[in-house]
Amino acid sequence: MCTAATYQTKDFYMGRTLDYEFSYGEQIAIIPRNYPIKFHYAGTMEHHYACIGMAHVANGYPLYYDAANEKGLGMAGLNFVGNAAYADVDNEKENVAQYEFIPWILTQCATVEDAKKKLKEMNLTGIPFSAQLPTAQLHWIIADKDGCIVVESMADGLHVYDNPAGVLTNNPPFPQQMFLMNQYMNLSPKQPENLFSDKLPLTTYSRGMGALGLPGDLSSTSRFARVAFTRLNSRSEDTEKASVSQFFHILGSVDQQRGCCEVAEGKYEITIYTSCCNTTKGIYYYTTYENPQITAVNMHATDLNGTEVVSYPMLQDTEIRYQN
Ligand SMILES: C[C@H](CCC(=O)NCCS(=O)(=O)O)[C@H]1CC[C@H]2[C@@H]3CC[C@@H]4C[C@H](O)CC[C@]4(C)[C@H]3C[C@H](O)[C@]12C
């Protein structure tokens, strides 16, 4: 499973957890403005916005899981198994292969508004990147400081939804996910009052009782409610450190520890990495399961006018700072 969220303070932040039982060997990859990016149908684009994100780099090509561009637009792909369905080639439209959807949007669009226009002309196909990397069943969150949308390609077509919650997990489709939120409308960060019955002398014996009923399990509907509650009630200072710290706490609410989600005999899904991209400044922060210390890659510290993918392996070692 995976969870994505956005966060706004002085700058705009967007990130995700990548939860799975194995890693595809991902790294932080930057495509500079003059990296000639090959699109399956549209041909090669020589010049475009620079992007930074997490990708599996296959034969020099960045297969992004989540990324942001130098204009502050971010995008992430999350599993949508059983519901994702891609279209056949449509010659009336701009055909885009599912694996190149993130670079397709981020190399050309500066804002969510731009992305919405691009999506109207687009047809998302299911052609695989290679025989070794079959088509992933995903849905996507696209966001900037002014808006957030979800894109779901299903058997009945391509859906684009406004996303006022600013979060995304996995199944079911987004409208159902939002409908389920109705169940939680009385949850609050404030202490509850006794509305149960004045015949019972009910009191708050603990702090935090306003959110009793917020589901604690790892299902995608429960993670959706939990991360939405955390994000929408989040308070932090607006400095970079405070914002980044708070962002990791938002996604920390849905962290998956090894052992709690068995996906096959002896196989457990864990939070492989958690990312937080300051899309305003082009800084990609991440932690990994083994390395909870926040590490950062700054796209502006590389040559954004370059022509080749620049990638950084994730630092995986646990580093403990001894105090004595
Ligand atoms: C496995 C991950 C989702 C994790 C998740 O959600 N786990 C819960 C399962 S569940 O929700 O409970 O069912 C997803 C998220 C992004 C994906 C890559 C996107 C680029 C590229 C697309 C190509 O077409 C295929 C290879 C490719 C590298 C993809 C591999 C894999 O598919 C990635 C890592």
Side-chain angles (χ1 to χ4, degrees):
M1 289 157 266
C2 307
T3 307
T6 69
Y7 192 52
Q8 173 80 52
T9 58
K10 260 204 302 246
D11 289 345
F12 183 70
Y13 301 83
M14 183 170 178
R16 63 100 55 79
T17 59
L18 189 284
D19 306 328
Y20 217 51
E21 63 277 20
F22 64 86
S23 157
Y24 282 77
E26 47 277 348
Q27 14 192 339
I28 299 88
I30 298 169
I31 51 170
R33 295 174 190 127
N34 304 314
Y35 162 70
I37 183 159
K38 261 199 213 102
F39 290 109
H40 186 77
Y41 304 98
T44 302
M45 193 187 294
E46 304 282 347
H47 311 290
H48 49 75
Y49 296 141
C51 307
I52 183 167
M54 195 67 83
H56 171 72
V57 182
N59 307 325
Y61 187 89
L63 291 162
Y64 279 117
Y65 308 4
D66 56 272
N69 68 16
E70 57 182 308
K71 295 288 168 187
L73 184 67
M75 182 163 173
L78 287 81
N79 257 14
F80 193 42
V81 176
N83 280 302
Y86 305 107
D88 294 330
V89 172
D90 176 348
N91 290 323
E92 304 292 296
K93 296 202 153 177
E94 291 178 339
N95 292 292
V96 176
Q98 157 280 148
Y99 64 80
E100 62 190 11
F101 185 24
I102 291 182
W104 175 257
I105 293 295
L106 295 184
T107 53
Q108 308 181 68
C109 303
T111 62
V112 167
E113 282 311 308
D114 286 354
K116 281 184 178 169
K117 285 187 206 125
K118 264 267 152 247
L119 290 167
K120 287 211 176 92
E121 299 153 14
M122 193 190 79
N123 182 54
L124 200 60
T125 83
I127 189 159
F129 177 76
S130 66
Q132 296 73 40
L133 294 170
T135 307
Q137 295 192 49
L138 306 174
H139 59 172
W140 292 267
I141 179 169
I142 305 178
D144 65 11
K145 63 182 181 13
D146 299 312
C148 181
I149 58 174
V150 169
V151 181
E152 300 189 329
S153 180
M154 297 175 56
D156 61 350
L158 190 77
H159 303 282
V160 180
Y161 305 104
D162 283 321
N163 180 354
V167 302
L168 188 67
T169 60
N170 310 103
N171 284 338
F174 187 71
Q176 281 161 259
Q177 198 72 265
M178 285 302 282
F179 176 79
L180 290 172
M181 293 297 288
N182 289 316
Q183 301 177 93
Y184 305 110
M185 65 188 284
N186 69 342
L187 300 196
S188 164
K190 295 194 167 59
Q191 286 292 56
E193 279 168 27
N194 177 14
L195 304 173
F196 192 93
S197 164
D198 56 14
K199 297 195 177 60
L200 294 182
L202 305 181
T203 58
T204 50
Y205 60 83
S206 160
R207 292 179 173 186
M209 290 177 70
L212 254 182
L214 186 64
D217 68 278
L218 293 173
S219 66
S220 53
T221 45
S222 294
R223 280 180 291 110
F224 192 100
R226 198 157 69 248
V227 74
F229 182 82
T230 312
R231 176 198 178 273
L232 293 163
N233 290 299
S234 226
R235 299 277 179 275
S236 73
E237 305 219 327
D238 61 7
T239 62
E240 184 68 356
K241 274 193 179 162
S243 308
V244 171
S245 161
Q246 182 71 8
F247 189 90
F248 279 99
H249 284 295
I250 293 170
L251 285 183
S253 71
V254 289
D255 197 43
Q256 289 192 212
Q257 300 81 10
R258 188 180 296 114
C260 295
C261 175
E262 190 175 26
V263 293
E265 184 66 34
K267 291 215 165 112
Y268 299 94
E269 186 168 301
I270 59 167
T271 299
I272 293 179
Y273 73 82
T274 305
S275 67
C276 164
C277 187
N278 177 332
T279 74
T280 315
K281 294 201 168 68
I283 304 174
Y284 192 95
Y285 300 89
Y286 69 91
T287 59
T288 75
Y289 195 84
E290 304 298 344
N291 179 13
Q293 181 184 327
I294 298 172
T295 308
V297 178
N298 182 350
M299 77 192 284
H300 297 285
T302 61
D303 177 13
L304 286 189
N305 292 319
T307 56
E308 270 164 45
V309 178
V310 181
S311 48
Y312 298 85
M314 278 196 272
L315 301 184
Q316 297 279 9
D317 274 356
T318 311
E319 284 196 20
I320 293 173
R321 175 152 57 158
Y322 284 90
Q323 252 193 295
N324 63 3

